[in-house]
């Protein structure tokens, strides 16, 4: 990219989260990712440069080891003319959702990240004119804490996402509860995955987006503006799944197309297209947590129908969901076990502030940082070293609990596909595909007290307002079916 020739008219608003804003190039398959800050909280340019370089290094030296080379695109830091950034900021302002405007794009440093545009990324370069469909899923935490530090029994039964839903609806963040449960998606069982994906399509919230040729066609632009019309979605998808156009329209057609989409997403999520270093190591010991969540609508339905076996086929080791779960499970102690260790670190740093840099809390996130993450002991020997390791592992786990998975699909003809290119089959079409992971910014050390408080709020709200009112028959049914508890994969 030639920084001198930057023209804001060649870039358009693409999307944003809580901490960054993304613009995409109209011709080339690249995006610029800018940091965002609360008004008047702008940082010095050198600080922003270090922050962005840390993000790149963390992707390159740490997350790539957990996820594998092909899944992680860490990009590079670029310096842009300030005039370009200011003009761009003005140009896109009107397209930003209101709910995200509490923070402003950083227009003062001139630094941003340049990344491949994963919504347009092709599996081969010569087919860039080809239509492309891209599904982005933010799966959230896929396991129930198995730590003995957990103080509330409910945390061993109901997953954080399902509990948090109630607080989010009460706070007005979302209007309706979602039936999505991450444990269904991470189960590896096709029926449960199908249910999870259908639930995401019904209530996308910030967990699902669909792009066609790089444009958002489905999912939440804003809290008030949720594009969730299945007929409209099916109209977009029809040429991908039924290119011969032989089907009649109507609700049956819509359901058939959505089913095809869900099938294809499931197959790509279960595919193993990359090996990684951490995959060969025993990153996490056997999990004794249960593999289903009592609040999942799928679990409830099974129990209601008198079926007491919750299928958990397990994820194939090489697939991205498996790797995501493995990284998430670095949170072995739960925030309740971690928080006292955070306090130990804090106390130590108060006494020896110079140790902050040697402990790599603020980087550099290099090979040495990665190596230190591999100590999986949970026996607390009372040392600072133990506390530091657990704190850093927790931050990595939190990052993996908040990342997104991007699946891009490009239609291909039978004779175009070869063994080197991963292909997924639908009933009437076939796609080459790529799977990537994004938003791998290491969660800040400073957010740990917030995590601790939020955990308490989520659980207390659930106990007080949901579980207390829950159908006691349901609770008893679950009790009778305790043999549903399954042992998770050894990893
Ligand atoms: O705490 P959670 O689970 O609500 O996750 C936050 C996300 O909310 P969600 O529940 O996914 O709607 C939240 O997403 P939204 O801004 O709500 O779209 C952020 O991803 C936040 O991360 P960060 O503080 O920007 O680094 C996330 O915070 P972290 O907990 O990952 O720090
Ligand atoms: N490389 C990319 N290619 C295409 N789209 C991207 C890319 N990176 C980010 N996006 C889009 O921009 C959105 C916001 O990016 P991102 O998730 O990194 O923001 P964030 O502020 O860090 O998120 P969070 O709210 O989780 O902290 C994503 O949901 C995705 O749709």
């Amino acid at each position: 990219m030639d920084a001198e020739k930057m023209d804001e008219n060649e870039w358009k608003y693409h999307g944003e989260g809580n901490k960054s804003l993304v613009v995409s190039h109209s011709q080339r398959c690249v995006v610029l990712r800018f940091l965002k800050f609360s008004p008047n909280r702008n940082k010095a340019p050198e600080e922003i440069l270090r922050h962005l370089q840390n993000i790149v290094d963390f992707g390159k030296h740490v997350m790539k080891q957990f996820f594998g080379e092909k899944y992680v695109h860490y990009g590079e830091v670029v310096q842009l003319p300030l005039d370009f950034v200011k003009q761009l900021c003005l140009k896109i302002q009107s397209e930003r959702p209101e709910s995200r405007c509490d923070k402003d794009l950083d227009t003062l440093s001139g630094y941003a990240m340049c990344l491949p545009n994963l919504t347009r990324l092709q599996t081969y370069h010569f087919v860039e004119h080809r239509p492309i469909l891209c599904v982005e899923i933010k799966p959230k935490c896929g396991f129930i804490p198995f730590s003995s530090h957990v103080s509330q029994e409910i945390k061993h039964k109901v997953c954080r996402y399902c509990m948090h839903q109630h607080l989010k609806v009460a706070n007005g963040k979302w209007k309706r509860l979602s039936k999505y449960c991450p444990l269904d998606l991470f189960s590896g069982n096709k029926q449960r995955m199908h249910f999870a994906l259908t639930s995401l399509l019904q209530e996308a919230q910030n967990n699902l987006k669909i792009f066609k040729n790089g444009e958002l066609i489905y999912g939440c632009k804003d809290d008030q503006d949720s594009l969730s019309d299945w007929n409209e979605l099916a109209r977009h998808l029809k040429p991908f799944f039924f290119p011969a156009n032989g089907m009649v329209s109507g609700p049956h057609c819509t359901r058939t197309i959505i089913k095809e989409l869900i099938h294809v997403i499931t197959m790509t999520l279960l595919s193993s297209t990359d090996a990684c270093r951490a995959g060969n190591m025993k990153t996490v010991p056997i999990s004794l947590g249960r593999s289903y969540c009592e609040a999942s609508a799928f679990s409830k339905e099974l129990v209601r129908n008198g079926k007491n076996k919750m299928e958990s086929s397990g994820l194939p080791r090489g697939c991205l969901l498996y790797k995501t779960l493995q990284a998430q499970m670095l949170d072995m102690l739960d925030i309740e076990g971690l928080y006292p260790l955070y306090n130990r670190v804090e106390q130590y740093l108060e006494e020896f502030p110079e140790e902050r840099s040697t402990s790599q809390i603020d980087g550099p996130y290099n090979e040495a940082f990665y190596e230190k993450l591999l100590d999986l002991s949970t026996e607390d020997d009372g040392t600072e070293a133990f506390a530091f390791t657990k704190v850093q592992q927790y931050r990595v786990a939190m990052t993996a609990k908040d990342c997104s998975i991007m699946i891009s699909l490009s239609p291909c003809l039978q004779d175009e596909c070869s063994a080197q290119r991963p292909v997924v089959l639908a009933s009437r079409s076939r796609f080459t595909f790529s799977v990537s992971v994004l938003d791998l910014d290491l969660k800040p050390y400073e957010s740990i007290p917030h995590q601790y408080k939020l955990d308490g709020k989520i659980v207390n709200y659930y106990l007080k307002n949901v579980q207390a009112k829950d159908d006691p028959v349901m609770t008893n049914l679950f009790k009778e079916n305790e043999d549903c508890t399954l042992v998770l994969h050894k990893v």
Side-chain angles (χ1 to χ4, degrees):
M1 184 167 13
D2 189 349
E4 291 312 308
K5 290 189 189 139
M6 298 298 284
D7 177 356
E8 69 276 5
N9 296 313
E10 291 177 354
W11 298 86
K12 55 183 183 212
Y13 178 79
H14 180 73
E16 67 190 287
N18 184 34
K19 288 199 171 140
S20 49
L21 186 148
V22 176
V23 294
S24 58
H25 194 270
S26 41
Q27 269 96 46
R28 287 183 289 128
C29 288
V30 287
V31 299
L32 291 173
R33 185 174 183 239
F34 293 90
L35 291 178
K36 299 189 333 181
F37 297 103
S38 302
N40 306 322
R41 285 271 189 92
N42 273 313
K43 296 187 178 168
E46 309 76 56
E47 211 180 326
I48 293 195
L49 174 62
R50 188 156 26 89
H51 186 97
L52 290 172
Q53 197 52 57
N54 270 345
I55 296 178
V56 172
D57 289 346
F58 183 66
K60 195 174 182 172
H61 300 294
V62 182
M63 289 323 239
K64 212 177 72 182
Q65 316 287 5
F66 281 104
F67 289 95
E69 185 100 24
K70 283 190 204 148
Y71 292 130
V72 180
H73 304 267
Y74 43 82
E76 58 176 354
V77 180
V78 287
Q79 188 172 19
L80 304 159
L82 286 179
D83 205 39
F84 161 76
V85 183
K86 286 193 179 109
Q87 293 304 324
L88 183 67
C89 177
L90 287 176
K91 186 190 155 188
I92 59 163
Q93 189 57 31
S94 61
E95 290 178 65
R96 296 183 59 198
E98 216 182 300
S99 60
R100 295 292 187 190
C101 288
D102 56 329
K103 288 189 182 156
D104 302 329
L105 181 134
D106 157 43
T107 51
L108 299 178
S109 77
Y111 292 112
M113 281 168 74
C114 181
L115 294 148
N117 184 344
L118 298 172
T119 63
R120 293 176 65 197
L121 192 72
Q122 304 277 350
T123 27
Y124 10 83
H125 295 295
F126 59 89
V127 286
E128 277 175 8
H129 55 277
R130 225 176 260 248
I132 182 155
L133 195 64
C134 180
V135 179
E136 178 181 343
I137 299 172
K138 184 174 175 177
K140 302 297 284 188
C141 180
F143 73 99
I144 289 202
F146 41 89
S147 163
S148 57
H149 297 277
V150 165
S151 62
Q152 303 274 12
E153 198 42 36
I154 194 73
K155 281 172 68 177
H156 287 308
K157 295 177 176 175
V158 176
C159 82
R160 184 182 189 269
Y161 180 90
C162 289
M163 279 200 263
H164 201 178
Q165 273 293 302
H166 292 272
L167 187 63
K168 285 179 183 174
V169 171
N171 289 342
K173 179 165 178 172
W174 305 116
K175 290 204 182 75
R176 288 170 296 275
L177 289 173
S178 160
K179 285 190 188 150
Y180 168 69
C181 172
L183 270 86
D184 290 327
L185 188 72
F186 282 93
S187 69
N189 173 271
K190 290 199 183 126
Q191 215 190 341
R192 286 178 69 185
M193 290 178 78
H194 185 107
F195 184 85
L197 292 167
T198 309
S199 306
L200 284 178
L201 281 161
Q202 280 164 346
E203 203 60 52
Q205 297 189 354
N206 60 353
N207 302 103
L208 176 87
K209 287 178 194 164
I210 302 178
F211 300 84
K212 187 168 109 177
N213 303 329
E215 303 286 338
L216 184 73
I217 57 160
Y218 196 82
C220 247
K221 269 191 178 161
D222 202 350
D223 301 359
Q224 308 306 319
D225 180 18
S226 158
L227 318 166
S228 55
D229 180 345
W230 277 22
N231 291 327
E232 180 66 10
L233 175 64
R235 198 179 57 74
H236 279 293
L237 298 180
K238 199 170 168 180
F240 285 88
F241 291 99
F242 295 94
N245 208 19
M247 289 171 66
V248 284
S249 56
H252 172 70
C253 171
T254 295
R255 273 199 304 276
T256 309
I257 293 172
I258 300 286
K259 230 171 116 180
E260 290 282 323
L261 173 71
I262 290 175
H263 165 75
V264 163
I265 304 174
T266 307
M267 298 319 286
T268 53
L269 284 175
L270 293 175
S271 70
S272 305
T273 51
D274 200 6
C276 65
R277 258 174 78 181
N280 303 325
M281 295 169 193
K282 290 193 162 76
T283 347
V284 182
I286 297 171
S287 157
L288 297 173
R290 74 173 62 192
S291 61
Y292 72 100
C293 161
E294 279 194 9
S296 149
F298 185 90
S299 317
K300 285 184 176 172
E301 199 52 39
L302 270 193
V303 173
R304 223 175 259 127
N305 292 336
K307 298 199 176 121
N308 63 356
K309 273 274 174 283
M310 179 65 66
E311 294 289 335
S312 164
S313 316
L315 292 165
R317 275 177 180 239
C319 76
L320 189 53
L321 281 181
Y322 179 86
K323 291 172 185 187
T324 309
L325 191 58
Q326 212 178 10
Q328 293 182 352
M329 283 175 138
L330 280 174
D331 170 15
M332 287 171 278
L333 303 173
D334 187 72
I335 184 66
E336 292 188 66
L338 194 276
Y339 191 57
L341 298 176
Y342 164 83
N343 286 330
R344 189 187 298 168
V345 168
E346 275 288 87
Q347 226 175 350
Y348 181 75
L349 291 180
E350 232 168 74
E351 229 178 295
F352 306 102
E354 68 284 2
E355 287 293 309
R356 194 166 170 121
S357 66
T358 29
S359 62
Q360 296 186 285
I361 281 193
D362 310 305
Y365 303 128
N366 51 17
E367 184 72 23
F369 181 94
Y370 170 70
E371 296 289 338
K372 282 192 242 169
L373 294 170
L374 301 176
D375 177 0
L376 300 173
S377 56
T378 46
E379 277 306 304
D380 186 0
D381 55 6
T383 60
E384 282 76 35
F386 177 80
F388 272 112
T389 304
K390 295 302 128 185
V391 162
Q392 303 290 50
Q393 285 171 341
Y394 177 78
R395 292 172 67 196
V396 174
M398 291 307 290
T399 306
K401 288 180 192 183
D402 198 41
C403 69
S404 295
I405 293 174
M406 207 63 127
I407 303 158
S408 69
L409 300 152
S410 242
C412 65
L413 301 172
Q414 191 154 6
D415 54 2
E416 284 176 294
C417 308
S418 78
Q420 287 91 49
R421 297 164 186 151
V423 171
V424 60
L425 301 181
S427 313
R428 306 277 174 83
S429 54
R430 50 199 294 146
F431 302 89
T432 53
F433 69 93
S434 67
V435 186
S436 322
V437 58
L438 62 93
D439 196 7
L440 292 175
D441 307 0
L442 181 62
K443 294 290 173 184
Y445 166 77
E446 290 74 19
S447 72
I448 293 175
H450 161 76
Q451 289 299 340
Y452 182 68
K453 278 189 215 119
L454 181 60
D455 181 71
K457 264 194 212 159
I458 293 172
V459 175
N460 288 336
Y461 184 87
Y462 190 83
L463 286 174
K464 222 163 134 192
N465 298 282
V466 186
Q467 211 210 17
K469 292 180 195 142
D470 229 13
D471 178 5
V473 181
M474 214 56 214
T475 317
N476 286 337
L477 272 171
F478 271 114
K479 274 199 190 118
E480 284 163 24
N481 290 314
E482 278 298 307
D483 65 332
C484 293
T485 306
L486 294 173
V487 175
L488 283 184
H489 254 304
K490 187 174 180 176
V491 288

